[in-house]
């Protein structure tokens, strides 16, 4: 389990993950407030060559960005939507990276083939980042 010691190292882990990906992929981010989920998404964006500033899409469900692949950034912290209406498969997964913060809140509708990123706060700047690849 990698331990990161600052935001740059967390972004670096995200970049290493994305640099090896060429297919549309769902990345489920799980961790407490301030764990570093958005920091991880910033690393994803950087690896995709996206220069826009990434902010948590707190008041909208999703923001999308154009890069080497599209990035769909979704955050379920504030938004509760009944499970049936989340059209991950149809709208998001087909053509890009879908990064979902607070994914554990919609776990029953996440695609089974996905990558889970769990971030645990170990100290002020220490984070344990566990990446589990459930793709075939
Ligand atoms: N090793 C680290 N990795 C990531 N973030 C770190 C690290 N050390 C300190 N931080 C700090 O932790 C905070 C992470 O914030 P971030 O917005 O990414 O969290 P989040 O998990 O998205 O929270 P939220 O649930 O509110 O969306 C930032 O202030 C960042 O500077
Ligand atoms: Mg966030």
């Amino acid at each position: 389990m990698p331990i990161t010691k600052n935001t740059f190292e967390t972004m670096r882990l995200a970049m290493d993950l994305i640099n090896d990906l060429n297919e549309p992929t769902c990345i489920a981010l799980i961790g407490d407030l301030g764990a570093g989920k958005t920091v991880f998404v910033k690393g994803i964006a950087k690896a995709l060559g996206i220069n826009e500033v990434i902010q948590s899409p707190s008041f909208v469900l999703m923001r999308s960005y154009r890069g080497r692949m599209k990035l769909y950034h979704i955050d379920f912290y504030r938004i509760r939507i009944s499970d049936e209406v989340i059209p991950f498969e149809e709208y998001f997964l087909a053509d890009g990276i879908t990064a979902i913060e607070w994914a554990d809140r919609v776990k029953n509708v996440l695609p089974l083939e996905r990558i889970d990123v769990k971030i645990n706060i170990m100290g002020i700047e220490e984070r344990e980042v566990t990446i589990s690849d459930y793709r075939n």
Side-chain angles (χ1 to χ4, degrees), residues 10 29 31-41 101 119 121 127:
T10 298
L29 294 149
D32 290 340
L33 278 174
K37 300 178 294 296
T38 302
V39 167
F40 198 92
V41 177
E101 296 193 36
I119 308 178
I121 300 174
R127 302 290 188 270

Side-chain angles (χ1 to χ4, degrees), residues 14-23 68-69 135:
M15 293 173 73
D16 290 345
L17 176 69
I18 294 301
N19 286 337
D20 290 337
L21 284 184
N22 289 304
E23 306 167 350
R68 174 171 72 79
M69 284 189 281
R135 294 171 305 155

Side-chain angles (χ1 to χ4, degrees), residues 15-131:
M15 293 173 73
D16 290 345
L17 176 69
I18 294 301
N19 286 337
D20 290 337
L21 284 184
N22 289 304
E23 306 167 350
T25 304
C26 177
I27 299 178
L29 294 149
I30 299 148
D32 290 340
L33 278 174
K37 300 178 294 296
T38 302
V39 167
F40 198 92
V41 177
K42 288 177 182 178
I44 292 174
K46 196 168 187 196
L48 293 173
I50 295 162
N51 295 318
E52 285 166 83
V53 176
I54 304 296
Q55 292 172 309
S56 259
S58 296
F59 298 101
V60 293
L61 176 61
M62 190 267 296
R63 285 184 202 280
S64 64
Y65 303 87
R66 283 175 194 283
R68 174 171 72 79
M69 284 189 281
K70 277 193 184 168
L71 170 61
Y72 299 102
H73 185 192
I74 301 176
D75 191 326
F76 282 106
Y77 180 59
R78 282 179 220 275
I79 295 163
R80 301 299 177 93
I81 291 178
S82 75
D83 294 346
E84 312 83 63
V85 306
I86 303 169
F88 287 123
E89 312 277 351
E90 294 93 282
Y91 290 109
F92 302 137
L93 300 180
D95 67 341
I97 300 293
T98 303
I100 306 170
E101 296 193 36
W102 294 99
D104 43 325
R105 296 187 172 186
V106 291
K107 204 146 206 175
N108 45 336
V109 295
L110 293 179
L112 295 175
E113 285 205 35
R114 63 175 194 261
I115 297 174
D116 281 1
V117 176
K118 289 193 182 143
I119 308 178
N120 277 321
I121 300 174
M122 311 296 285
I124 293 171
E125 288 201 277
E126 281 185 358
R127 302 290 188 270
E128 181 189 56
V129 183
T130 307
I131 297 176

